[in-house]
Amino acid sequence: MKSVAFTHLGAVREKNEDAIYADDGKQLYIVADGMGGYEGGEIASHMALDIVVKDLQEAMGEMDGNQLDTDTLRENLRQAVYHANDSIYQCYQAQEASSPMGTTLTAVYIYGQIAYVAHVGDSRAYLIRAGEGMRQITQDHSVTGEMLRDGEITLEEAKNHPKRHMLTRAIGYYPLVDVDITVLPLVQGDMLFLCTDGLYNLVSEEMIYQSMMSDGARAIPKLILAALDNGGYDNISAISVVDC
């Protein structure tokens, strides 16, 4: 595996509430986009990332090199996200903050030739495969995401919809959270792309695809510059993983 990961403050924000993690040795990749006020979002995104990384590392260590089955890996990911949700929710309750602390989280763990994807919120993971193009492998847990899936609005209408930033699911907002777990078999040459909405709201999927196909791991700096050129009104984060 070869990954490239970047996070950028953006052109407008005073604080970066995104958090990213990329470890080719562990084959674990995470993006998180925090929310909840000036400091709350930054705390939430980094807490979620740290807990998921630590929990997965401990779970894999306990297996002591034994071959892991799909159900075990799915459950390890799910429990790690549950732990992050509970910790952030309890932190918010203890601080009695004026607004909830929360974060999106999209995590990809690759074991063998299978990618295990845990997802909450509206950050995204894409698969790019030769001959098949690029497809989103996560669903946006947002008001406009649900409206799109129900056929109530078009993709163009969603881009400027007044509720496009409203999430229907996030880590840390409530005591319990539903976690999407996707099991994705990989083939040689596949590429993965993870990003927060600060990138995909300002850069088209076509540009992401073309940049990844032509530049591979070097695509991300160019895509972040493009998002900045298009306004950069949010924090911008992305991870590319090639040679899957």
Side-chain angles (χ1 to χ4, degrees):
M1 302 293 172
K2 182 188 298 182
S3 66
V4 171
F6 278 95
T7 185
H8 195 287
L9 178 65
V12 176
R13 297 293 179 91
E14 296 181 358
K15 203 171 191 68
N16 192 345
E17 296 180 286
D18 286 359
I20 59 174
Y21 179 89
D23 189 319
D24 293 337
K26 295 184 177 69
Q27 297 188 100
L28 177 61
Y29 310 93
I30 306 172
V31 295
D33 181 356
M35 63 210 78
Y38 187 70
E39 293 184 350
E42 183 182 31
I43 294 170
S45 62
H46 283 84
M47 277 185 66
L49 189 149
D50 291 344
I51 290 169
V52 170
V53 170
K54 182 180 179 182
D55 282 10
L56 286 178
Q57 189 170 2
E58 289 179 354
M60 300 312 166
E62 290 173 0
M63 299 308 295
D64 196 26
N66 293 327
Q67 189 72 15
L68 300 179
D69 59 54
T70 295
D71 289 342
T72 299
L73 287 161
R74 286 167 59 100
E75 191 60 21
N76 286 346
L77 262 177
R78 194 186 308 276
Q79 291 301 323
V81 179
Y82 284 166
H83 183 193
N85 182 78
D86 181 65
S87 296
I88 295 167
Y89 180 77
Q90 294 299 331
C91 181
Y92 157 63
Q93 293 293 315
Q95 291 183 1
E96 297 182 350
S98 59
S99 61
M101 293 166 53
T103 184
T104 71
L105 184 134
T106 301
V108 176
Y109 176 65
I110 300 174
Y111 186 79
Q113 280 299 109
I114 299 177
Y116 295 84
V117 184
H119 171 67
V120 178
D122 67 349
S123 295
R124 292 180 178 177
Y126 293 93
L127 170 69
I128 301 167
R129 177 170 291 170
E132 297 183 13
M134 183 174 80
R135 66 181 177 92
Q136 186 177 335
I137 56 178
T138 53
Q139 287 192 343
D140 295 346
H141 299 142
S142 63
V143 172
T144 54
E146 291 189 357
M147 293 173 72
L148 271 169
R149 290 190 289 276
D150 291 339
E152 298 177 16
I153 58 174
T154 65
L155 185 59
E156 286 302 313
E157 290 172 333
K159 290 179 180 178
N160 297 303
H161 197 280
K163 295 183 178 181
R164 64 188 181 277
H165 298 302
M166 293 179 61
L167 298 183
T168 56
R169 212 186 295 181
I171 292 174
Y173 269 31
Y174 300 103
L176 301 175
V177 66
D178 289 331
V179 184
D180 289 352
I181 304 290
T182 302
V183 178
L184 181 70
L186 301 172
V187 300
Q188 187 173 4
D190 280 351
M191 294 184 283
L192 297 168
F193 187 85
L194 287 67
C195 63
T196 58
D197 63 346
L199 186 119
Y200 71 72
N201 278 333
L202 293 172
V203 176
S204 70
E205 290 187 356
E206 179 62 23
M207 184 175 183
I208 294 172
Y209 172 67
Q210 294 296 340
S211 296
M212 287 292 291
M213 291 300 293
S214 61
D215 299 314
R218 295 172 296 176
I220 288 186
K222 296 181 180 180
L223 291 169
I224 288 179
L225 286 174
L228 291 169
D229 288 343
N230 289 332
Y233 55 74
D234 200 352
N235 307 142
I236 309 164
S237 299
I239 301 172
S240 63
V241 186
V242 302
D243 298 329
C244 293

